[in-house]
Amino acid sequence: MEEKVWFAMSAPFCKELEAKKLLDKRGIENFIPMQYQVVVSKSGKKQRELRPAVHNLLFARATRPELQETKEGVKYLQYYTRPEGGKNVPVVIPDRQMQQFMAVSKTCHEKLFYLRSDELPLQKGRQVRIIGGVFDGVEGVLMKVRGGRNKKVVVEIPNTLGVVFEVENADMIEVINK
């Protein structure tokens, strides 16, 4: 029997919430990074709404046959893929990495921002762990931003996405020696 793993999924045309409903109906664990955004209503009032932080992206935890059966006949649910050996293979995220990513993303914190993997400047980063606060125990890569006072930490899902958050107090950062 196959083991359940996290797959990065694409739901083109902003259909990620529709895909989530389908996966929920089928009993498949899933996750969409959400974020509060200010929107203006028809009457001109500004209000905060919880919306997908990254359009067209969601994550599903299932076996490949279970997910394949679920997505049959559903054109808006596709695997997020990466090239390997001349083929495109589905992106699979290790459980630990997904837990770290969800721990940060589930806060829906307003100062989070998301970058595609090709946008992440991680060449010179150091592996760190956050001690205390909302992100206690989260591991990521320390990143310095020019002109910024605070340190940024990136929790990345390789070949997919990274979530970036600020750490205001340097005492909350512990360097991991790996």
Side-chain angles (χ1 to χ4, degrees), residues 114-134:
Y114 294 82
L115 299 171
R116 290 188 324 269
S117 285
D118 60 345
E119 298 173 321
L120 294 172
L122 297 179
Q123 291 79 12
K124 295 184 180 180
R126 298 210 54 190
Q127 283 290 115
V128 296
R129 180 181 300 116
I130 306 303
I131 303 167
V134 173

Side-chain angles (χ1 to χ4, degrees), residues 63-104:
T63 63
R64 178 110 187 239
E66 183 180 23
L67 204 50
Q68 196 63 38
E69 181 184 322
T70 299
K71 65 183 243 52
E72 271 182 35
V74 181
K75 293 180 182 178
Y76 61 83
L77 185 60
Q78 304 165 5
Y79 290 108
Y80 197 88
T81 61
R82 64 178 171 73
E84 183 180 290
K87 295 180 180 180
N88 287 329
V89 297
V91 173
V92 174
I93 301 105
D95 283 342
R96 173 94 172 118
Q97 218 167 18
M98 195 63 200
Q99 289 167 356
Q100 295 288 308
F101 181 78
M102 288 189 309
V104 173

Side-chain angles (χ1 to χ4, degrees), residues 10-20 32 52 54-58 76:
S10 174
F13 310 110
C14 299
K15 297 219 180 229
E16 60 276 356
L17 294 176
E18 199 173 314
K20 179 177 181 30
I32 297 176
V54 180
H55 288 294
N56 309 328
L57 179 70
L58 69 147
Y76 61 83

Side-chain angles (χ1 to χ4, degrees), residues 128-132 135-139 153 165 167 172-174:
V128 296
R129 180 181 300 116
I130 306 303
I131 303 167
F135 303 120
D136 187 39
V138 171
E139 295 177 8
V153 174
F165 61 94
V167 179
M172 296 174 77
I173 300 172
E174 173 186 54

